[in-house]
């Protein structure tokens, strides 16, 4: 079992190494070629070299972003999960890894627990708890025709069971590490890499909820993840609701 897993992951590692080597090579040859083309008379001009290094950095950053996106697509194609544990959600396919699961009772438990509070949902998935907490009956998901049909049927089944009473929480903001989640959800859920060290989303919330997320975070990022939850909760760690299954 263990050996099988190693063998399975080898082509992925090899591809990752090849991608990064190719990136490093293009970066080096780019810098080399560009500096050779710089006019001699401007070489001492500080403003010029500052601007040209900014441009080079910009180009390299864009290449790095493209390379890391390709890597994530590779993870999605081979393992159906991203390197940070995020789900591979696209306009053609949003249901993966059990993210269809929603328990209305858990939604009512959260609102009873937090009351009129601002809530951030870390690892919001498809945002169903947000829709329940906000008593929202539709979102602006951007989906392919086939996936749209399935989503509408799912939402009809899900929303039928949601209470008709007014919402209890003051506000809800959903964040998720899923690939393309922001575009796919039409902005209802924002992208955030919850496994990133020192993540800061620009504000705190009264409560941070995180349901069925911790078990997907890579082991060496678990501390970052827990710090990220605590950093965004107003009243400290006791206001963080974490659930880990398995
Ligand atoms: C809920 O909380 C907000 C923000 O703290 C406050 O402005 C509002 O008056 C509260 N509403 C109720 C019904 O307590
Ligand atoms: C959502 O709720 C509003 C008002 O509560 C209603 O007019 C609308 O038809 C509902 N939409 C769906 C898709 O259920």
């Amino acid at each position: 079992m263990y050996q099988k897993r190693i063998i399975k992951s080898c082509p992925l590692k090899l591809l990752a190494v090849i991608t990064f080597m190719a990136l490093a090579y293009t970066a080096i040859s780019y810098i080399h070629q560009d500096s050779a083309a710089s006019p001699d008379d401007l070489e001492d001009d500080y403003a010029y070299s500052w601007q040209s290094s900014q441009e080079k950095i910009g180009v390299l950053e864009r290449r790095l972003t493209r390379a890391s996106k390709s890597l994530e697509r590779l993870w999605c194609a081979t393992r159906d999960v991203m390197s940070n544990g995020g789900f591979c959600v696209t306009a053609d396919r949003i249901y993966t890894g059990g993210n269809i699961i929603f328990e209305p009772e858990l939604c009512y438990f959260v609102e009873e627990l937090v009351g009129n509070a601002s809530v951030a949902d870390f690892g919001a998935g498809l945002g169903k708890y947000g829709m329940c907490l906000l008593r929202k009956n539709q979102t602006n998901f951007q989906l392919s025709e086939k996936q749209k049909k399935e989503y509408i049927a799912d939402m009809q089944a899900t929303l039928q069971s949601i209470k008709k009473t007014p919402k209890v929480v003051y506000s809800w903001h959903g964040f998720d590490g899923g690939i393309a989640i922001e575009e796919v959800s039409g902005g209802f859920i924002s992208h955030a890499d919850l496994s990133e060290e020192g993540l800061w989303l620009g504000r705190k919330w009264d409560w941070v909820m995180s349901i069925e997320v911790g078990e997907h975070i890579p082991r060496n990022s678990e501390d970052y993840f827990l710090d990220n939850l605590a950093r965004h909760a107003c009243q400290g760690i006791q206001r963080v609701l974490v659930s880990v299954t398995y």
Side-chain angles (χ1 to χ4, degrees), residues 19-63:
T19 312
F20 270 109
M21 280 173 63
L23 179 74
Y25 176 76
T26 39
I28 289 164
S29 51
Y30 176 80
I31 291 168
H32 197 253
Q33 168 205 334
D34 206 63
S35 60
S38 300
D40 280 349
D41 53 344
L42 282 173
E43 242 173 30
D44 295 331
D45 184 337
Y46 174 77
Y48 174 81
S49 59
W50 170 257
Q51 193 193 347
S52 87
S53 9
Q54 290 302 303
E55 278 164 15
K56 274 178 206 163
I57 291 169
V59 170
L60 289 179
E61 273 175 354
R62 284 194 291 279
R63 286 186 185 186

Side-chain angles (χ1 to χ4, degrees), residues 50-219:
W50 170 257
Q51 193 193 347
S52 87
S53 9
Q54 290 302 303
E55 278 164 15
K56 274 178 206 163
I57 291 169
V59 170
L60 289 179
E61 273 175 354
R62 284 194 291 279
R63 286 186 185 186
L64 202 60
T65 305
R66 275 207 300 276
S68 75
K69 277 191 178 158
S70 309
L71 259 186
E72 291 305 345
R73 277 198 291 271
L74 206 57
W75 270 82
C76 281
T78 54
R79 292 194 174 179
D80 200 22
V81 67
M82 295 163 65
S83 64
N84 63 4
F87 285 144
C88 300
V89 170
T90 64
D92 295 329
R93 179 170 166 272
I94 57 171
Y95 297 109
T96 170
N99 63 352
I100 195 167
I101 297 169
F102 166 75
E103 291 294 339
E105 289 309 321
L106 190 49
C107 162
Y108 308 137
F109 167 75
V110 168
E111 61 188 17
E112 196 161 309
L113 181 71
V114 309
N116 178 35
S118 58
V119 179
D121 189 346
F122 278 20
L126 300 178
K128 289 183 179 178
Y129 287 96
M131 292 180 75
C132 174
L133 291 171
L134 297 174
R135 300 292 193 269
K136 209 173 148 68
N137 65 5
Q138 59 192 89
T139 57
N140 194 21
F141 270 50
Q142 307 291 310
L143 304 170
S144 69
E145 283 310 312
K146 186 164 166 275
Q147 186 63 98
K148 195 182 269 176
K149 262 191 205 143
E150 194 183 352
Y151 180 67
I152 289 170
D154 173 28
M155 287 327 278
Q156 272 166 356
T158 302
L159 296 169
Q160 253 180 14
S161 62
I162 287 175
K163 281 184 184 170
K164 301 286 182 279
T165 53
K167 75 178 169 88
V168 174
V169 302
Y170 180 64
S171 67
W172 177 92
H173 288 97
F175 297 91
D176 200 272
I179 207 165
I181 191 65
E182 210 160 296
E183 297 91 312
V184 169
S185 72
F188 183 53
I189 298 158
S190 305
H191 183 267
D193 182 354
L194 306 171
S195 67
E196 180 189 308
E197 184 178 3
L199 177 74
W200 175 240
L201 298 169
R203 61 163 287 189
K204 288 177 178 241
W205 287 264
D206 293 329
W207 286 79
V208 174
M209 62 183 273
S210 186
I211 295 171
E212 307 273 346
V213 177
E215 74 275 20
H216 299 289
I217 300 287
R219 188 170 288 274

